Amino acid sequence: MSVDGAQLWTLNQRLLAVVLDACARELAELGLETKEFFVLAEVEASPYPAEIAAALMLPKASVTVYVRNLVAKGFVRREIDEADLRRHRLVLTDEGTRARDRALAALAAEYDRRLARVTPQDRAELRRILNVMLGRTDSGRTGE
């Protein structure tokens, strides 16, 4: 039996959904919905809402709602961008950093629980394959 890309995509999506579902209670205890968590986790790498929308492949209008919620919850604040006074940049608050870190730890623990079923050699191979698919070297750097 051959394995096509759609089958692998579906399996990967199911795994991600199962891991997120297993962490839903912890995210809720932190005051986060799943998509709010992803936006919160992206703020440091992409401090502008349009960048977050592009990075997460979410509609800009949805990101605006998630950012508004995160600001109201005290996880993110808007600051005037000194390089362009017409723009606001997003910054994690201390509370936002703690919530993000706890949520990431919960997701990592759940994912690690599932990875424990896989041999260390297969984990290394999975990492190598994912990096190849992303066009990176095994170290995570972009290949030429």
Side-chain angles (χ1 to χ4, degrees), residues 7 19 111 140:
Q7 290 171 325
V19 169
Y111 198 81

Side-chain angles (χ1 to χ4, degrees), residues 47-67:
Y48 303 101
E51 289 178 359
I52 293 171
L56 298 178
M57 293 181 276
L58 291 171
K60 289 179 183 178
S62 296
V63 170
T64 298
V65 171
Y66 300 135
V67 167

